[in-house]
Amino acid sequence: MNQDLIDKLKQNFKGEISIDPGTLEHFSRDSSIFEMMPQLVVFPKDINDLKALVKFVNENKKDNPHLSLTARAAGTCMSGGTLNNSIIVSLTEHINKLVELKVRDQEVIVEPGLFYRDFEKELDQHDLLLPPYTSSKRLNTVGGMVANNSGGEKSLGYGKTEKYVEKLKVILSDGEEYEIKKMTKDELVKRIECDDTLSKIYKKVFDILDKNRDLIAKHKPRVTKNSAGYTIWDVLSGEAGSRTNVNSSGDETYFDAPKLFVGSQGTLGIITEITFSLIKKKKHQGILMIFMQNYDNLPQIVNTVMKHKPDCFESFDHYTFELALKYVEGFGKILKLSKDEVIKAFHPEFARVEKNGIPELTLLVEYEDDDLHTIHENLNKLNAELSGFDNLETYMTHNADERAKYWAIRRESFGLLKSQVKGKYAAPFIDDIVVETDKLPEFFPKLYKLLNESKLMYTVAGHIGNGNFHIIPLMEMEDPEAAKKIYHMMDRVFDLVWEYHGSDSGEHNDGLVRAPYLMHQFGEGVYKIFKEIKDAFDPDDIFNPKKKVNVTKQYAEKFLIKDSTPLKGQITFTR
């Protein structure tokens, strides 16, 4: 970016500005398979800085069409959603406050750059919880959760992020901050009558959704989790017969505007404040581990578990289990154990493998309740019914340390691949597929046939209770054929997913990796609605362009990383 533009920005911007090569390199990557070098990284001090950024782009975009803004927090996005070759707006340094915690109302107001780990510590003091945390909860922020409509291990029992977002404050394309909230029909009518940017947007969006009610309903994903596209499915309710939501005050919600922003990956505006509803934490948890020698009777086993209504139902494959044992010392830091302690903690797993070999598939079933007796009762009932299957063994525990060990294996598989397997890159591109659980008997054999034909090493872990799986192949990104292999695999796997009316993204969203497939998944009519939503909020395409619409494989392929080595760039503040 030329110095004249930077000097213009400095006139109204108080935060740090960096064109340092190490800083630009750091922000050129996230947790995806892409690399995109920004021209500038800014660290806004406050909301006024964010407003100034939007107004700066508006004032200079005509002469500099490339100018745009991508809000970024922790950079854990696995779809390339936090990358931009213009201006990166980093929020974790200053826009990171817990504004207010309303314990009695079970509600909290936060800024998007707040790390979930810090947020969780505060909630723990009051036995409160925001359930849709991710496996990367040690690293991610609450803003990233909203941007991606994140889910995780508790989504089966508690739903995704969209369920917990009550209100937002957002800077829109005019550079002003607005409150985005759920509204009754009367409230929507009054809001549209106002003479400002948001009222004009609401009028356009209402007309788009209202005239396309039948098309939207027809193409609503059948699966329990979806982060693909804009979340248009339950924004408008009422006359068309779709369900009407009820907010905490008991009023009927006719227009659920926050849903448009949840999962939008920062493409509609910059979120400055989030109001979440919370739940009370349960006092006790207990798990049943199911170690399967093969995939025989998997659908019957899944159906048996689901019949007993667990709170969490997770899975990881034999590659993940093998990695955990191979790099067992890596869990010491995560579990805060010494070398001897972690070896002792994993001794039962080594003994199990010595006796029966590595389980082909491991299932983790968790119950939680304020009454420990109820947990024991649920676990015993399920365990008794599973005893009829001869290709598995089970292990029950409510011991906190043992539970932490098994959850670490489930949560840390991607991190293990990234940090421990040298010379190959853990490449998340077919990593977030979802199908209905009753389709798994047919779907699984076909999926594994495709994966094995690829000749790639991979791990499969996921939320089996939701039919949501994370498949992480290991790639040599230096290979000139890498791009061809990646898109060949995506084409084949996604075609299989859509054959079973699934979604190519349950949690990790579109970004550069899956946005090229949106039209195929939803059809031209719904894709046109997505484009109209983007245009209504952001007609000049200043917010995180090419992450939802107008993205082709050819465009995305240009930004595939070309090596398998970790990123070395570091943040340096300059002014």
Side-chain angles (χ1 to χ4, degrees), residues 401-465:
D401 292 337
E402 286 191 306
R403 286 181 51 255
K405 173 183 68 176
Y406 290 120
W407 275 117
I409 298 174
R410 166 60 191 90
R411 291 170 182 154
E412 302 298 333
S413 57
F414 181 62
L416 273 173
L417 282 171
K418 286 183 68 175
S419 64
Q420 300 290 350
V421 181
K422 306 303 180 186
K424 292 182 183 290
Y425 188 79
F429 57 91
I430 49 173
D431 73 304
D432 196 29
I433 59 174
V434 192
V435 295
E436 294 173 280
T437 54
D438 62 359
K439 301 292 195 304
L440 291 179
E442 294 180 35
F443 177 79
F444 254 136
K446 295 179 181 179
L447 173 65
Y448 273 96
K449 184 173 185 290
L450 291 179
L451 294 175
N452 292 332
E453 287 173 355
S454 74
K455 308 295 185 185
L456 295 172
M457 181 182 176
Y458 60 88
T459 65
V460 180
H463 317 290
I464 195 167

Side-chain angles (χ1 to χ4, degrees), residues 129-190:
L129 176 70
L130 179 65
Y133 57 77
T134 69
S135 293
S136 60
K137 69 174 186 170
R138 295 185 298 115
L139 306 172
N140 72 275
T141 67
V142 293
M145 292 173 64
V146 174
N148 282 331
N149 191 12
S150 294
E153 62 205 40
K154 289 192 178 294
S155 295
L156 179 64
Y158 294 100
K160 295 180 63 184
T161 301
E162 61 189 338
K163 184 176 177 180
Y164 298 91
V165 176
E166 297 297 323
K167 285 189 293 190
L168 298 168
K169 286 186 180 178
V170 178
I171 295 175
L172 297 179
S173 58
D174 63 351
E176 298 300 328
E177 186 182 52
Y178 296 89
E179 183 177 74
I180 308 292
K181 65 177 183 178
K182 303 175 183 182
M183 287 178 282
T184 64
K185 189 171 185 179
D186 287 344
E187 289 171 336
L188 177 62
V189 170
K190 290 177 182 176

Side-chain angles (χ1 to χ4, degrees), residues 212-258:
N212 289 291
R213 284 178 182 267
D214 291 340
L215 179 66
I216 291 169
K218 180 180 177 182
H219 290 275
K220 181 178 180 179
R222 301 182 188 180
V223 289
T224 59
K225 298 169 76 172
N226 174 67
S227 283
Y230 289 113
T231 313
I232 60 175
W233 321 108
D234 293 312
V235 173
L236 188 61
S237 52
E239 280 89 39
S242 58
R243 67 181 179 84
T244 300
N245 305 313
V246 178
N247 63 25
S248 56
S249 63
D251 298 325
E252 290 185 345
T253 297
Y254 179 74
F255 190 68
D256 194 346

Side-chain angles (χ1 to χ4, degrees), residues 5 56 92 151 170 219 243 311 377 380 420 423 441 454-455 467 488 492 496 538:
L5 273 178
F56 164 78
T92 54
V170 178
H219 290 275
R243 67 181 179 84
D311 294 296
E377 194 173 62
N380 285 325
Q420 300 290 350
S454 74
K455 308 295 185 185
H488 178 68
R492 298 185 73 193
L496 178 64
D538 186 22

Side-chain angles (χ1 to χ4, degrees), residues 63-123:
D63 296 326
N64 303 272
H66 67 281
L67 276 180
S68 63
L69 303 167
T70 292
R72 171 172 168 143
T76 59
C77 181
M78 297 170 76
S79 70
T82 64
L83 305 179
N84 192 352
N85 52 14
S86 185
I87 302 174
I88 295 290
V89 183
S90 183
L91 302 176
T92 54
E93 288 72 25
H94 305 297
I95 317 293
N96 59 8
K97 310 297 187 299
L98 194 160
V99 178
E100 184 179 5
L101 176 58
K102 304 175 184 178
V103 175
R104 182 174 296 179
D105 296 332
Q106 294 182 201
E107 195 171 84
V108 65
I109 303 172
V110 294
E111 293 179 335
L114 177 65
F115 282 95
Y116 186 91
R117 60 178 181 257
D118 299 326
F119 174 64
E120 186 178 42
K121 289 175 186 174
E122 189 68 29
L123 297 188

